[in-house]
Amino acid sequence: MADLFDGYSLGEQWDEMFGGLSEPRAAYAGLYASLQPMAGDELTARADVLSQTYRDAGVTFAHAGEEQPFPLDIVPRVIGSEEWAVIERGVAQRVHALEAFLADVYGSGQVFTDRVVPRTVVTTSAHFHRQAHGLVPPNGVRVHVSGIDLVRDEAGDFRVLEDNLRSPSGVSYVITNRAAMSQVLPELFADHRIQPVADYPSRLLAALKASAPSNVADPTVVVLTPGVYNSAYFEHALLARQMGVELVEGRDLVCAGNQVSMRTTDGQQRVDVIYRRIDDEFLDPVHFRPDSVIGCAGVLNAARAGRVTIANAVGNGVADDKLLYTWVPDLIRYYLGEEPVLQNADTYRLDERDTVEWVLESLDQLVLKPVDGSGGKGIVIGPKADEKTLTDLAVKVRARPRDWIAQKPIGLSTCPTLIGGRIAPRHVDLRPFAINDGDTVWVLPGGLTRVALPEGELVVNSSQGGGSKDTWVISPPRQLDEPEEADLTRIEFTAADLPEDPPAQDPGPLNDTVVGQSQQQQQSKDPSLLDARRLAPSLWEGPKGQRKGILPC
């Protein structure tokens, strides 16, 4: 029987599983021992079952104009407890620093007075909103949920690629990946102490309730979605159902007298916390785009009056602007008095003429990113770009250098991936998710690992042919006097968590509403198309199974 790992080649990049040929790293030793005896046909058959599970449930995405099952690779990514402790500390540290920065930016602005960050960096950001100035959240939290994108460099060190503080998506795939994997490869879960991910919805709900206005004893939380055509609608529906809260659209909400309510068959019900998955520009037509039909008019006034909490807060985008990203290490030192646990990728700001000229001369050796881009849009990888692309890029950079940053290419680490019945190395990244409840920043063990399935490809988005992996954080061996822990890795996963006719899916790094404008056009043509309740009625059942009555518009 051929070894699954025969022909597995190690390049110059760091490999997650192997330190040398047939020499697995400590965290992967158990997984390697379990997979090596398997025949390629057996693992492929299980991978087919995994794919069928997602196909039957409707977890699909659009690639090359066709609906395809969301690609979940059957070989998990493994992170040891010591490595995870570093990631956990580093992610929490960045969240604390960026929280302090946002409070400063929309407050006294001491960071500008002390000349840590130039004021113009903030005021020229497309995501800086003066409408949020002076608005203080009830428990001081603006970044309730964050996703910090990491890559591992050639030396094996994790580096931060970008921060996502507006509406980071993809956590639903972390939950469903684990559920599906535990059903297809149960013996692997029996042999490893894998930290669970099933409690993310309860952690999120607790943090949202903790952010409610101070005079509310039993807060009402809702998830605000743009509708079924949004690329992350599956996630909105899944989280609402697992938290036991209502999934609402903007037309379900009413704001009167600075009080937000939702329209139900029992009359209007007060809303205290809105976990919104809508971009700032579409959230409130009173303060932002007046043509928005997917938000709630007056909701920002209600938040300013302390009558409702918006999570994540309006204006967070100024802190995940890719130009501001270059100052985050300085912000950590300034606000926390600490050295960064996780380093940034080597990045160049185009704020000086000499730097701009050097970048223009070196475009074929650098990666150029638009500072307000998302989902990989607009990124140019110089070493792989053709001459026309580089020429067009030079014109854009010279015209508006503030809109770009330049980075040295990082050889993303590789991870064993099932390709054509054999195991082969493919490039991966990692997005850990963090929840801030005002007292602590909790980091979900593992996060979303995205994998570029085509050989040599560095872009990991599923819209570019990428997929994902279940990410395991391994706990240390149990001590003799340690009590038996509950098994939380097996999650009930049924088609009830999904709409019958789901939208195309791409788990990140897109913010949820990059398609907001086109959604509005669709709504204006046929508003009934966005009635998600008719597509997935089971998503609208409460925790005890009762029907919750949201009035149709």
Side-chain angles (χ1 to χ4, degrees):
M1 181 175 63
D3 190 325
L4 271 174
F5 295 92
D6 281 351
Y8 190 91
S9 59
L10 298 177
E12 296 180 358
Q13 297 85 8
W14 181 273
D15 189 81
E16 296 290 331
M17 178 178 278
F18 294 105
L21 288 176
S22 301
E23 297 176 4
R25 303 185 192 278
Y28 276 91
L31 180 63
Y32 177 72
S34 298
L35 292 178
Q36 192 180 28
M38 281 191 186
D41 290 345
E42 178 186 354
L43 193 61
T44 299
R46 295 203 191 194
D48 290 342
V49 172
L50 192 63
S51 178
Q52 188 63 46
T53 298
Y54 266 26
R55 182 183 292 109
D56 291 346
V59 187
T60 63
F61 77 106
H63 178 56
E66 297 181 1
E67 285 293 320
Q68 301 180 8
F70 179 68
L72 169 60
D73 182 59
I74 197 168
V75 183
R77 181 185 193 168
V78 181
I79 301 175
S81 57
E82 293 183 1
E83 277 192 321
W84 179 248
V86 174
I87 294 173
E88 197 172 33
R89 287 200 314 273
V91 169
Q93 181 189 60
R94 288 183 82 92
V95 172
H96 282 302
L98 291 169
E99 279 278 13
F101 173 72
L102 286 166
D104 203 355
V105 164
Y106 291 109
S108 64
Q110 191 64 38
V111 69
F112 308 131
T113 304
D114 292 341
R115 299 181 181 275
V116 179
V117 175
R119 187 182 298 271
T120 55
V121 170
V122 169
T123 56
T124 58
S125 171
H127 302 294
F128 172 64
H129 295 307
R130 289 176 173 82
Q131 298 92 327
H133 189 272
L135 201 165
V136 181
N139 68 340
V141 175
R142 289 174 169 82
V143 186
H144 304 80
V145 179
S146 54
I148 310 299
D149 289 347
L150 308 178
V151 294
R152 202 199 286 263
D153 64 18
E154 295 87 346
D157 297 321
F158 281 101
R159 289 178 174 263
V160 179
L161 206 57
E162 63 180 57
D163 305 290
N164 298 277
L165 310 180
R166 284 171 280 171
S167 299
S169 60
V171 73
S172 56
Y173 297 98
V174 178
I175 298 170
T176 54
N177 285 356
R178 180 63 54 83
M181 285 285 291
S182 66
Q183 295 174 31
V184 174
L185 286 171
E187 68 273 26
L188 294 185
F189 286 81
D191 296 338
H192 294 81
R193 295 190 69 199
I194 305 166
Q195 294 190 27
V197 299
D199 54 347
Y200 179 90
S202 62
R203 292 267 193 171
L204 175 58
L205 180 60
L208 293 174
K209 287 188 173 183
S211 72
S214 57
N215 59 341
V216 178
D218 185 18
T220 298
V221 178
V222 298
V223 177
L224 176 59
T225 177
V228 71
Y229 288 105
N230 183 265
S231 63
Y233 175 79
F234 159 65
E235 178 159 302
H236 308 164
L238 181 70
L239 290 178
R241 183 174 187 267
Q242 294 202 351
M243 287 192 292
V245 305
E246 296 292 357
L247 179 68
V248 301
E249 298 176 24
R251 57 185 176 168
D252 296 321
L253 300 179
V254 177
C255 183
N258 289 335
Q259 178 64 64
V260 179
S261 304
M262 60 179 165
R263 302 166 63 241
T264 77
T265 52
D266 295 326
Q268 293 186 5
Q269 179 181 351
R270 188 192 72 235
V271 172
D272 304 301
V273 181
I274 300 174
Y275 178 40
R276 53 80 175 244
R277 301 300 294 262
I278 291 178
D279 282 349
D280 291 346
E281 290 75 14
F282 297 94
L283 179 63
D284 187 342
V286 173
H287 291 279
F288 301 109
R289 291 186 52 156
D291 61 337
S292 174
V293 295
I294 58 175
C296 175
V299 68
L300 191 60
N301 290 342
R304 185 176 294 279
R307 306 290 293 278
V308 72
T309 298
I310 301 172
N312 283 354
V314 171
N316 279 10
V318 71
D320 64 19
D321 183 298
K322 292 183 179 63
L323 182 57
L324 192 280
Y325 155 90
T326 64
W327 271 279
V328 173
D330 295 326
L331 296 178
I332 291 172
R333 298 182 186 101
Y334 176 68
Y335 289 114
L336 306 182
E338 303 169 356
E339 285 299 311
V341 174
L342 297 171
Q343 300 298 323
N344 282 7
D346 293 336
T347 307
Y348 302 93
R349 298 191 285 258
L350 307 188
D351 54 358
E352 295 182 1
R353 182 180 298 274
D354 290 345
T355 304
V356 173
E357 293 302 322
W358 175 78
V359 167
L360 289 171
E361 293 171 0
S362 310
L363 287 179
D364 60 342
Q365 305 169 41
L366 299 170
V367 176
L368 272 289
K369 296 181 178 181
V371 296
D372 62 348
S374 62
K377 292 184 177 180
I379 293 177
V380 178
I381 302 176
K384 293 192 172 186
D386 57 35
E387 186 174 347
K388 183 181 184 305
T389 299
L390 294 177
T391 300
D392 293 344
L393 176 63
V395 173
K396 296 177 183 177
V397 172
R398 192 177 294 280
R400 297 184 60 88
R402 192 264 181 241
D403 293 350
W404 299 86
I405 58 169
Q407 293 180 332
K408 290 184 177 179
I410 297 178
L412 304 186
S413 62
T414 57
C415 193
T417 304
L418 183 65
I419 304 291
R422 305 298 292 276
I423 301 293
R426 291 295 186 267
H427 294 289
V428 294
D429 75 351
L430 177 66
R431 174 179 285 185
F433 292 91
I435 293 176
N436 185 1
D437 65 6
D439 295 322
T440 59
V441 174
W442 176 76
V443 184
L444 175 68
L448 180 67
T449 290
R450 295 177 295 181
V451 54
L453 297 177
E455 185 174 5
E457 180 61 68
L458 296 175
V459 179
V460 296
N461 296 75
S462 60
S463 57
Q464 304 298 317
S468 74
K469 288 175 171 287
D470 190 15
T471 307
W472 296 359
V473 175
I474 304 297
S475 297
R478 184 183 294 109
Q479 303 300 314
L480 292 177
D481 57 349
E482 186 177 348
E484 192 77 16
E485 59 189 9
D487 180 10
L488 298 178
T489 59
R490 188 175 182 85
I491 308 164
E492 182 183 357
F493 177 48
T494 69
D497 286 321
L498 302 124
E500 295 174 7
D501 186 18
Q505 302 295 328
D506 184 351
L510 283 174
N511 286 310
D512 287 340
T513 52
V514 294
V515 292
Q517 188 170 5
S518 63
Q519 281 185 274
Q520 294 208 110
Q521 294 170 349
Q522 289 171 325
Q523 289 183 63
S524 64
K525 292 176 182 177
D526 187 355
S528 68
L529 290 176
L530 287 182
D531 192 352
R533 275 108 34 204
R534 292 189 303 142
L535 296 178
S538 62
L539 292 171
W540 292 82
E541 294 178 356
K544 296 181 181 179
Q546 76 273 19
R547 177 71 61 186
K548 301 256 184 166
I550 301 290
L551 281 174
C553 291

